[in-house]
Amino acid sequence: MIDPSKPDYMNTPASDRRPDSSYAPADPAAPPCVTILTPYWNNAAPVFEETARSVFRQSLQQWEWLIINDCTTDPQALQLLDRFRDCDPRVRVIDNQKNLGLAGSRNVGFEAARADFVFLLDDDDMLEPTALEEMWWFLLSYPEYAAVSGYEVGFGAKEYLWPTGFVAGERNLVNNHVSGRALV
């Protein structure tokens, strides 16, 4: 976990210094607890492989990952995406027939999700190793809440720690303090 008082921006969730929970459930066909939903468009950057590494390293392994290909045209991005089509039975790549943009691709993913809980993860973001487990348990433990998120940390060209979110309460009616990464 990143220490908010002294962030180490080199120790990303995809870092080899992080724990690896890359085991699989005993029954890969078991229904997922969480659907991870990732719109994908023309991302040939190495950061997508880091996104994937952070998904596979989750302490909660009973997930499905829907990668929604929003009509990618870049040959390198298509080649990278093809590596994930048959890499794990919990990963499904869904190809849009036309470019729908971020919101439309998310809607496609919500329609295809098999879990009651859906985590929104962009194709250039990473998850802390226990993020899904902690968020899932939070929503199970506090059914009066409909969504949960955590701190956001920027890595690479722009390093930052964004410690606000749903805790901002009514201030969100004036300015949105919540990132796009949330379990709903």
Side-chain angles (χ1 to χ4, degrees):
M1 295 285 251
I2 199 144
D3 179 353
S5 65
K6 195 169 133 189
D8 176 0
Y9 294 105
M10 299 306 293
N11 190 14
T12 73
S15 168
D16 289 334
R17 294 174 17 207
R18 293 299 188 93
D20 188 352
S21 299
S22 59
Y23 54 87
D27 180 4
C33 296
V34 174
T35 295
I36 304 164
L37 174 52
T38 302
Y40 182 92
W41 185 75
N42 282 346
N43 187 350
V47 72
F48 184 70
E49 294 183 55
E50 293 179 333
T51 299
R53 185 180 300 169
S54 78
V55 167
F56 286 108
R57 286 182 168 182
Q58 288 300 297
S59 58
L60 174 73
Q61 286 286 306
Q62 196 167 337
W63 47 257
E64 72 172 340
W65 187 17
L66 302 181
I67 304 170
I68 313 301
N69 174 20
D70 198 22
C71 297
T72 292
T73 56
D74 180 87
Q76 287 182 311
L78 285 168
Q79 186 177 30
L80 177 61
L81 182 62
D82 283 343
R83 293 188 15 223
F84 291 92
R85 289 189 186 274
D86 297 313
C87 72
D88 186 293
R90 299 169 295 169
V91 178
R92 288 190 289 155
V93 176
I94 298 173
D95 297 300
N96 288 345
Q97 297 304 306
K98 63 179 184 171
N99 186 277
L100 299 175
L102 187 59
S105 292
R106 284 182 175 158
N107 287 338
V108 167
F110 270 100
E111 280 186 31
R114 294 187 304 142
D116 291 334
F117 298 92
V118 176
F119 185 79
L120 303 172
L121 180 68
D122 289 346
D123 64 2
D124 61 351
D125 291 337
M126 294 179 268
L127 287 167
E128 288 288 348
T130 59
L132 288 180
E133 180 179 11
E134 291 178 29
M135 289 183 208
W136 181 67
W137 275 111
F138 178 87
L139 290 179
L140 287 176
S141 300
Y142 299 95
E144 64 270 26
Y145 291 96
V148 64
S149 69
Y151 286 2
E152 180 177 315
V153 180
F155 299 100
K158 189 174 182 182
E159 295 176 341
Y160 63 90
L161 178 64
W162 183 262
T164 60
F166 291 113
V167 296
E170 291 184 8
R171 290 184 293 154
N172 283 318
L173 298 174
V174 178
N175 292 313
N176 184 10
H177 297 273
V178 180
S179 73
R181 275 110 350 254
L183 182 65
V184 296

